[in-house]
Amino acid sequence: MNEKQTEELSSLLKMRGDIEVDSPESADIIILNTCSVRRRAEVRIEGRIGEFKRLKEKNNPIIVVAGCYAQAHREKILERFPYVDKVVGPFDFMNIPELLNDSGKLYTDEKRTDWKIILPERAKVSSFVRIMEGCNNFCSYCIVPYVRGRERSKPSSMVIEEVAGLVERGAKEVVLLGQNVNSYGKDIPGEVSFAQLLYKLNDVEGLERIRFTTSHPKDMSDELIEAMAELPKVCEHLHLPVQGGNDRILKLMNRGYTKAQYRALVDKIRDKIPGIALTTDIIVGYPTETEEEFQELLEFIREIRFDQVYSAIFSRRPMAKASELPDLPYEIKQKRYEIFNQVQNEISREINEKLIGTIQDVLIEEVKTKFPDQSKGRTRTNKVVVVEKKIPPGEIIMVKIMDATEYTLKGEIL
Ligand code: SF4
């Protein structure tokens, strides 16, 4: 989400005549688009802002701290780093070009999103498209609803226009982004559902592949599963964050489903869409998680066999309800995290090794800069494939898989 917003802001600034420079030392304006999903991201950003003090004294660039960290800490940023010129939350992020001419310092009021279609000169082969912002779910560990506000969908007519514009500029694949794409459209009376939006996008000429993220399991409708099974451009990959592997923890997390319900959903999806790759997010070391509950989580991932898991150690977030619970000692969390990843890496490797000898359609995304004779692309199931040849990005080639690790496949062009 941040990457896409940064790209859009950069296009807006270029339209008003600004140019991008290579280093902060030669910049007149420095904009930090920040994340606050975990404390670690915040520590990094605080270090970065600290580094700019010397630069401010030397060259006096305008320093803007923007995004979720800005929204979460607001005036405290100005108190701690008085040389910061502006603190801009996600609601005003796209207004930064105008705000640069304004004398104010703090822009963190919650407001409606005025959606704009911002197209780059040349689109990436796989381009992100923001289709909604915010979240209504209030999972106990998550800061998103507090910093990005409630769900706001981009009207479907704009999404379709944007996707068509990206395709005209070279995109072959779009990745639709939202904190919970499954509830797309519910905030706009008469708007289409997410599944219906997929049907409309499937008709965009020249578009080859459609992906989306993230889907909340409790909102995964039969209509959406049907659309995924039916639409040729929608890829056979689903990111379906489960977060925990034990009913007590899932309840504490306020996720709105049990382990059995999640398992039944996975069965239904695998039944309707054979060969689909499933990925997920897991929080390890949730407050009060016992050793038995951690073992249950391991059993659960062994049972479901996700293609890949994005795991994170629990991190206390201000405002989020879970920060009121007693945190586990860091060493326990760290140990469980290591064990968890060992188990999952083995599963991911086994799943990928089964692909050796199969033929896959690979959409080439880039020629590797370090190895110019290698190209990198993805299968429809979102697996990264490297081939030993320079292929123009945007081409879809048939590849025979020759080797596999937990993260990457190696292939030979047919
Ligand atoms: S659904 Fe996702 S974004 Fe929304 S509160 Fe839960 S974890 Fe955060």
Side-chain angles (χ1 to χ4, degrees), residues 237-249:
H237 166 231
L238 181 66
H239 186 65
L240 194 65
V242 64
Q243 306 291 8
N246 163 273
D247 283 343
R248 188 186 74 87
I249 298 285

PDB file of all heavy atoms in Angstrom, residues 237-249:
ATOM      1  N   HIS A 237      -4.077 -18.041  -6.875  1.00  0.00           N
ATOM      2  CA  HIS A 237      -3.344 -17.768  -5.636  1.00  0.00           C
ATOM      3  C   HIS A 237      -4.237 -16.948  -4.717  1.00  0.00           C
ATOM      4  O   HIS A 237      -4.903 -16.019  -5.180  1.00  0.00           O
ATOM      5  CB  HIS A 237      -2.059 -16.976  -5.928  1.00  0.00           C
ATOM      6  CG  HIS A 237      -1.451 -16.390  -4.679  1.00  0.00           C
ATOM      7  ND1 HIS A 237      -1.108 -15.073  -4.566  1.00  0.00           N
ATOM      8  CD2 HIS A 237      -1.167 -16.959  -3.472  1.00  0.00           C
ATOM      9  CE1 HIS A 237      -0.608 -14.845  -3.356  1.00  0.00           C
ATOM     10  NE2 HIS A 237      -0.644 -15.977  -2.678  1.00  0.00           N
ATOM     11  N   LEU A 238      -4.236 -17.313  -3.453  1.00  0.00           N
ATOM     12  CA  LEU A 238      -5.035 -16.545  -2.494  1.00  0.00           C
ATOM     13  C   LEU A 238      -4.225 -16.331  -1.219  1.00  0.00           C
ATOM     14  O   LEU A 238      -3.699 -17.278  -0.641  1.00  0.00           O
ATOM     15  CB  LEU A 238      -6.333 -17.301  -2.160  1.00  0.00           C
ATOM     16  CG  LEU A 238      -7.275 -16.589  -1.192  1.00  0.00           C
ATOM     17  CD1 LEU A 238      -7.847 -15.308  -1.803  1.00  0.00           C
ATOM     18  CD2 LEU A 238      -8.414 -17.513  -0.772  1.00  0.00           C
ATOM     19  N   HIS A 239      -4.133 -15.068  -0.833  1.00  0.00           N
ATOM     20  CA  HIS A 239      -3.511 -14.756   0.448  1.00  0.00           C
ATOM     21  C   HIS A 239      -4.634 -14.624   1.470  1.00  0.00           C
ATOM     22  O   HIS A 239      -5.471 -13.727   1.373  1.00  0.00           O
ATOM     23  CB  HIS A 239      -2.705 -13.459   0.343  1.00  0.00           C
ATOM     24  CG  HIS A 239      -1.933 -13.170   1.591  1.00  0.00           C
ATOM     25  ND1 HIS A 239      -0.904 -13.986   2.013  1.00  0.00           N
ATOM     26  CD2 HIS A 239      -2.049 -12.210   2.522  1.00  0.00           C
ATOM     27  CE1 HIS A 239      -0.418 -13.518   3.148  1.00  0.00           C
ATOM     28  NE2 HIS A 239      -1.102 -12.444   3.487  1.00  0.00           N
ATOM     29  N   LEU A 240      -4.658 -15.549   2.414  1.00  0.00           N
ATOM     30  CA  LEU A 240      -5.781 -15.636   3.347  1.00  0.00           C
ATOM     31  C   LEU A 240      -5.240 -15.683   4.787  1.00  0.00           C
ATOM     32  O   LEU A 240      -5.028 -16.764   5.348  1.00  0.00           O
ATOM     33  CB  LEU A 240      -6.567 -16.922   3.013  1.00  0.00           C
ATOM     34  CG  LEU A 240      -7.946 -17.097   3.610  1.00  0.00           C
ATOM     35  CD1 LEU A 240      -8.929 -16.057   3.083  1.00  0.00           C
ATOM     36  CD2 LEU A 240      -8.492 -18.502   3.306  1.00  0.00           C
ATOM     37  N   PRO A 241      -5.016 -14.503   5.355  1.00  0.00           N
ATOM     38  CA  PRO A 241      -4.353 -14.480   6.674  1.00  0.00           C
ATOM     39  C   PRO A 241      -5.154 -15.199   7.750  1.00  0.00           C
ATOM     40  O   PRO A 241      -6.313 -14.867   7.984  1.00  0.00           O
ATOM     41  CB  PRO A 241      -4.258 -12.983   6.991  1.00  0.00           C
ATOM     42  CG  PRO A 241      -4.377 -12.304   5.681  1.00  0.00           C
ATOM     43  CD  PRO A 241      -5.290 -13.164   4.855  1.00  0.00           C
ATOM     44  N   VAL A 242      -4.516 -16.182   8.397  1.00  0.00           N
ATOM     45  CA  VAL A 242      -5.199 -16.889   9.489  1.00  0.00           C
ATOM     46  C   VAL A 242      -4.780 -16.291  10.835  1.00  0.00           C
ATOM     47  O   VAL A 242      -5.538 -16.259  11.772  1.00  0.00           O
ATOM     48  CB  VAL A 242      -4.958 -18.415   9.417  1.00  0.00           C
ATOM     49  CG1 VAL A 242      -3.515 -18.794   9.610  1.00  0.00           C
ATOM     50  CG2 VAL A 242      -5.814 -19.158  10.430  1.00  0.00           C
ATOM     51  N   GLN A 243      -3.563 -15.831  10.919  1.00  0.00           N
ATOM     52  CA  GLN A 243      -2.977 -15.138  12.086  1.00  0.00           C
ATOM     53  C   GLN A 243      -2.693 -16.029  13.286  1.00  0.00           C
ATOM     54  O   GLN A 243      -1.689 -15.864  13.933  1.00  0.00           O
ATOM     55  CB  GLN A 243      -3.834 -13.926  12.529  1.00  0.00           C
ATOM     56  CG  GLN A 243      -4.120 -12.934  11.442  1.00  0.00           C
ATOM     57  CD  GLN A 243      -2.897 -12.141  10.968  1.00  0.00           C
ATOM     58  OE1 GLN A 243      -1.777 -12.426  11.360  1.00  0.00           O
ATOM     59  NE2 GLN A 243      -3.102 -11.197  10.069  1.00  0.00           N
ATOM     60  N   GLY A 244      -3.590 -16.962  13.631  1.00  0.00           N
ATOM     61  CA  GLY A 244      -3.353 -17.821  14.801  1.00  0.00           C
ATOM     62  C   GLY A 244      -3.785 -19.244  14.498  1.00  0.00           C
ATOM     63  O   GLY A 244      -4.495 -19.490  13.531  1.00  0.00           O
ATOM     64  N   GLY A 245      -3.356 -20.189  15.370  1.00  0.00           N
ATOM     65  CA  GLY A 245      -3.701 -21.587  15.101  1.00  0.00           C
ATOM     66  C   GLY A 245      -4.395 -22.236  16.279  1.00  0.00           C
ATOM     67  O   GLY A 245      -4.333 -23.448  16.457  1.00  0.00           O
ATOM     68  N   ASN A 246      -5.066 -21.413  17.084  1.00  0.00           N
ATOM     69  CA  ASN A 246      -5.713 -21.928  18.288  1.00  0.00           C
ATOM     70  C   ASN A 246      -6.945 -21.063  18.558  1.00  0.00           C
ATOM     71  O   ASN A 246      -6.887 -19.838  18.432  1.00  0.00           O
ATOM     72  CB  ASN A 246      -4.688 -21.824  19.432  1.00  0.00           C
ATOM     73  CG  ASN A 246      -5.325 -21.929  20.790  1.00  0.00           C
ATOM     74  OD1 ASN A 246      -5.766 -20.928  21.346  1.00  0.00           O
ATOM     75  ND2 ASN A 246      -5.396 -23.123  21.311  1.00  0.00           N
ATOM     76  N   ASP A 247      -8.058 -21.702  18.927  1.00  0.00           N
ATOM     77  CA  ASP A 247      -9.318 -20.944  19.054  1.00  0.00           C
ATOM     78  C   ASP A 247      -9.280 -19.860  20.134  1.00  0.00           C
ATOM     79  O   ASP A 247      -9.853 -18.799  19.961  1.00  0.00           O
ATOM     80  CB  ASP A 247     -10.488 -21.907  19.329  1.00  0.00           C
ATOM     81  CG  ASP A 247     -10.913 -22.620  18.048  1.00  0.00           C
ATOM     82  OD1 ASP A 247     -10.530 -22.136  16.957  1.00  0.00           O
ATOM     83  OD2 ASP A 247     -11.599 -23.649  18.133  1.00  0.00           O
ATOM     84  N   ARG A 248      -8.607 -20.143  21.243  1.00  0.00           N
ATOM     85  CA  ARG A 248      -8.560 -19.113  22.288  1.00  0.00           C
ATOM     86  C   ARG A 248      -7.794 -17.880  21.774  1.00  0.00           C
ATOM     87  O   ARG A 248      -8.234 -16.743  21.937  1.00  0.00           O
ATOM     88  CB  ARG A 248      -7.875 -19.671  23.551  1.00  0.00           C
ATOM     89  CG  ARG A 248      -7.958 -18.724  24.748  1.00  0.00           C
ATOM     90  CD  ARG A 248      -7.140 -19.246  25.923  1.00  0.00           C
ATOM     91  NE  ARG A 248      -5.713 -19.091  25.723  1.00  0.00           N
ATOM     92  CZ  ARG A 248      -5.005 -18.004  26.035  1.00  0.00           C
ATOM     93  NH1 ARG A 248      -5.624 -16.964  26.558  1.00  0.00           N
ATOM     94  NH2 ARG A 248      -3.709 -17.953  25.821  1.00  0.00           N
ATOM     95  N   ILE A 249      -6.685 -18.128  21.099  1.00  0.00           N
ATOM     96  CA  ILE A 249      -5.885 -17.007  20.569  1.00  0.00           C
ATOM     97  C   ILE A 249      -6.667 -16.271  19.467  1.00  0.00           C
ATOM     98  O   ILE A 249      -6.692 -15.042  19.428  1.00  0.00           O
ATOM     99  CB  ILE A 249      -4.518 -17.520  20.027  1.00  0.00           C
ATOM    100  CG1 ILE A 249      -3.694 -18.144  21.146  1.00  0.00           C
ATOM    101  CG2 ILE A 249      -3.748 -16.426  19.322  1.00  0.00           C
ATOM    102  CD1 ILE A 249      -3.035 -17.197  22.128  1.00  0.00           C
TER     103      ILE A 249
END
